[in-house]
Every structure is written in C-alpha cells, then in structure tokens.
Amino acid sequence: MHNIKPETGGFFPRDRNWHPKAYTPDYKTSVVRSPQKALISFPNTVGEITGPMFGHDLLGELDDDLIYNYAKPGESAIGERIIVYGKVLDERGRGIPGVLVEFWQANAAGRYRHRNEGYLAPLDPNFGGCGRTISGEDGSYRFRTVKPGPYPWPNGVNDWRPSHIHFSIFGTGFAQRLITQMYFEGDPLIWQCPIVRTINDEAAIKQLTAALDMANTIPMDARAYKFDIVLRGRRSTLFENRMEGN
Amino acid sequence: MVQDLGLLKESASQTAGPYVHIGTAPNFLGTTGVYPEDLGISMVNDKTRGERITITGRIIDGTGTPLRDALIEIWQADSGGLYNSPTETRGAADPNFTGWGRTPCDFTTGVFTFETVKPGATPYPDRRMQAPHVTFWIVARGINLGLNTRMYFPDEEKANAEDPVLKRIEHQNRVPTLIAKKDGSTYTFDIHLQGDNETIFFDI
Ligand SMILES: [Fe+3]
C-alpha cells in the first residue's frame, strides 16, 4: 500500500484552548458530563503513539456513496447531491495515508435514522446516513452524499443545528483519535449554534466549515465541498534522548 | 518578524452527539445491510494468546445517571506487551489479537462490555515499566472532546505501585478511580464523569 516507514514520534500537545472546553453551559448536556478536576498529563508512551489501522479490504464498493449504499436497487436517496472531498493532514501539513474516516448525517430533511430520533421530518427509505473510506497515498479522501438538512434539537426552545456531517477520524496513533463535524459555507445557522459555539476561536470554526468548490463539481450531477481535516502532528526526533551510559 | 513555522492547527473537536451509532455501530442500532458487521466488536479469536478476560462497566454522569448514548473505544497491548499497529517498533504483536475494541453503551442499562485478553506490561519513555493497563476513549452527547483514561488491574498491586503514570498523580487518593474491580475473569470499571469519585482523565 505505502512503503514509507511510518513516523513513530510522540505527538504535539493538544491545544485545549483551540478545542472546546468540557464545561460549556450553553450546550446544556455538557454541564453534568464535563469532568471538573484537572486532566493529568504524561508524555506519550507506546500506547498513545500506536493505534489501530484498517486495510482497504474492509471497504465495500458503496461505503463511500451514501446516495446508494442504503438504497433499493434502481432507487437513490433524495436531496441535493454533493461530493465531499479533502485531505487528512497532520499539523505539519503532510497528508496521512491509509487512515479510516467514518461519517454520518441526517437526511436531506434533517431527520436521522436512529431509534431515539424525535424530529417529525420524514425518513428517506433510501438513505441510511453512514459511510466510510480510507485515505489515499497523499491523505486524500472523498465520498458522495446528499446535503443534510438543518434540524431542531432540545436545548433552548428554538435551537437549530446548522447542516452538518459528523466525522470520526483515526490517525496512526491512538492519541490522534478525533470526532468532529463539518459545516457548509454560507449557512447562517453556524454562528447561532450552541454546539458550534462551544469553540471559542472563530478561526477554529472556519476550519470546520467546508468551502463550496465549483471547480470540482460534476456538471448536471453534484456540487463539491472541500473539507480538509488536520490531526495532531508527530514530533520529529532531530536528536534522540539517550540514557546515561548508552 | 520571524519565519513562519508553517504549522497547521488540529481540527477542533465537536461532540459525537446522541446518534454516534449511525456512523460507528450501525448494526448495533439496527441499520443493517450497509456494513457486514460493526468495527471493533471482536478483539479476540480462537487462537489469541493470553488470559481471557471480560471488561464491563458504566459511565456515570454528575447526577449519578449512567450514560446510555456513549461510545467507548479501548486500545491495549497483547498479552506479551506489544501493540498490533504499524507504528509498534518493538516487535510483532499477536496477529490474532486486534488490541482495539469499540462498543456503544446499552440503550437501556448503559452497560458496556469487551471480551479481550489481559495486556502485558509496556515501557514508559524512560524505560521504566508501566503496569498492565487498557486505554479508554469516551465520546458522547455533551462531551465536547473525547475523554481519555486508563483502566488498571487490581491483581497487579506491585506493578501498579511502580507504574510511572500512577506515581506522578499528585492526589494519590484518586488512584483507585483507575483500578477495576475483579470478580473471576470479569473486571468491572465504572467511570465517573464528576463528583467525589470523579475518574482521573488524562491529557495525552
Ligand atoms: Fe448531528
């Protein structure tokens, strides 16, 4: 698959002011689910530096096509057809090959296929809402889907989630494990959303907002949105630490 | 002015939300036909080396209520202390052990369960040995950034006492929050998000 020996250095520390804090009372559920004591730090050990990897043989033919992977033969999911594409990069800007990217979303009406979902918008019988792919040699990935609708959720009396796709990304080390959400350029709901606003830094929110890319649309078929994902970078060991006497 | 280091920022985390099952455990949810099986449901097979164990528990919020919409992943060494990963440089791990498990909590009880093997000891960066442990990663609605913790074994008292991570914890009276309870081959590890018994979480 790829012949370059993987890097095995420890990771850059997480910037916990860039990420949302645990306790964010405007997102009410966080109040009783946020640890209140300080996190304990320790240097990366082998268990943080290593992580599970998944082979391409895992993937089914339609895993990266949400328009068809749950549809009955000859049918397809309803909604605005889009391609989402981009790269999985590390903080040094290098593509990370061979990593599993999973995604899930509501249908075009904003309704999830889930037993606990209560929104009155209709289910699409041809839309399951999940997909996955593995990044290529240069870290690139892509999938096809329909644009998810915004939906209301019980938090304030009138809180609506902007259109979004949930992403779960594996790196090459377990300390890179990340779940996040992709938003869509131009959505006025982004800046009103209590979940988006758990993030304090405007630049971090923009980084989660995919750009409409008319240069990569498929004419008469689907528009494209570009969404790069950045995982923690590894320290390169310019000089090794050596124990005394070694 | 100075030169730009050219570094990017890690993508900010967002909560996994209440419907994390759709993307990570669709068969558990009842959405069948997309993936043959959910990833991470089997860590072992008939040929896996080591002592078979069950790890079970619940995640409990600040009101004492178990989370019923959380997803847990675990990552651990094999019985010989090696990780099944391309970034493991110390040798080849047991090919019949994945080291990685993933499960949602039960929709009614909040209980999670993993069938695995007891891990071997692994080194700390300074080459002291760490006691056998299992790394946990927890995501759910209301959790903005995945929580990391470790489960240690109550029957490894001596190794635990020497463990470099446990030793650096200032408030030693919190260490028991990381140690499972043993009953036969079952280890129970309840994780408390808040309160007097708040589990120790790590910034790794
Ligand atoms: Fe959502």
Side-chain angles (χ1 to χ4, degrees), chain A residues 147-221:
Chain A
K147 191 176 176 192
Y151 57 82
W153 59 296
N155 187 63
V157 290
N158 193 24
D159 282 332
W160 288 71
R161 295 301 326 279
S163 292
H164 62 277
I165 300 177
H166 295 265
F167 277 74
S168 155
I169 312 105
F170 289 80
T172 56
F174 201 59
Q176 284 174 306
R177 197 74 182 82
L178 181 71
I179 280 183
T180 188
Q181 302 181 27
M182 178 196 113
Y183 304 102
F184 292 82
E185 177 184 352
D187 188 336
L189 293 170
I190 294 173
W191 302 98
Q192 301 184 33
C193 173
I195 288 178
V196 174
R197 291 170 64 154
T198 61
I199 301 172
N200 281 318
D201 196 312
E202 196 177 310
I205 295 171
K206 286 181 178 166
Q207 192 187 1
L208 297 183
T209 307
L212 174 65
D213 178 6
M214 293 302 286
N216 275 299
T217 57
I218 306 175
M220 306 303 289
D221 180 343

Side-chain angles (χ1 to χ4, degrees), chain A residues 15 53 86 95 111 113 115 125 154 162 165 173 177 182 185 188 200 203 214 230-231 233 236-237 240:
Chain A
D15 182 348
M53 295 291 276
R111 168 79 182 254
R113 183 172 290 282
R115 53 184 273 155
I165 300 177
R177 197 74 182 82
M182 178 196 113
E185 177 184 352
N200 281 318
M214 293 302 286
V230 181
L231 301 183
S236 60
T237 37
E240 296 273 1

Side-chain angles (χ1 to χ4, degrees), chain B residues 26-74:
Chain B
N27 292 287
F28 180 93
L29 178 63
T31 300
T32 54
V34 183
Y35 307 147
E37 64 173 27
D38 294 336
L39 287 182
I41 55 169
S42 50
M43 303 175 69
V44 294
N45 64 36
D46 295 345
K47 297 183 203 130
T48 306
R49 296 192 291 263
E51 179 190 340
R52 298 302 173 100
I53 62 168
T54 301
I55 297 174
T56 187
R58 295 171 305 162
I59 306 168
I60 296 155
D61 74 15
T63 74
T65 309
L67 272 59
R68 291 167 299 171
D69 53 11
L71 180 82
I72 303 178
E73 293 185 8
I74 63 172

Side-chain angles (χ1 to χ4, degrees), chain A residues 15 31 91 102 177 180 183, chain B residues 9 12 14 73 102 194:
Chain A
D15 182 348
V31 172
E91 286 170 289
E102 301 166 297
R177 197 74 182 82
T180 188
Y183 304 102
Chain B
K9 295 296 287 185
Q14 291 271 263
E73 293 185 8
R102 177 160 79 181
Q194 297 180 347

Side-chain angles (χ1 to χ4, degrees), chain A residues 88-109:
Chain A
V88 182
L89 304 164
D90 68 19
E91 286 170 289
R92 287 212 167 93
R94 294 179 291 208
I96 310 178
V99 299
L100 179 65
V101 183
E102 301 166 297
F103 18 86
W104 64 100
Q105 63 170 87
N107 70 20

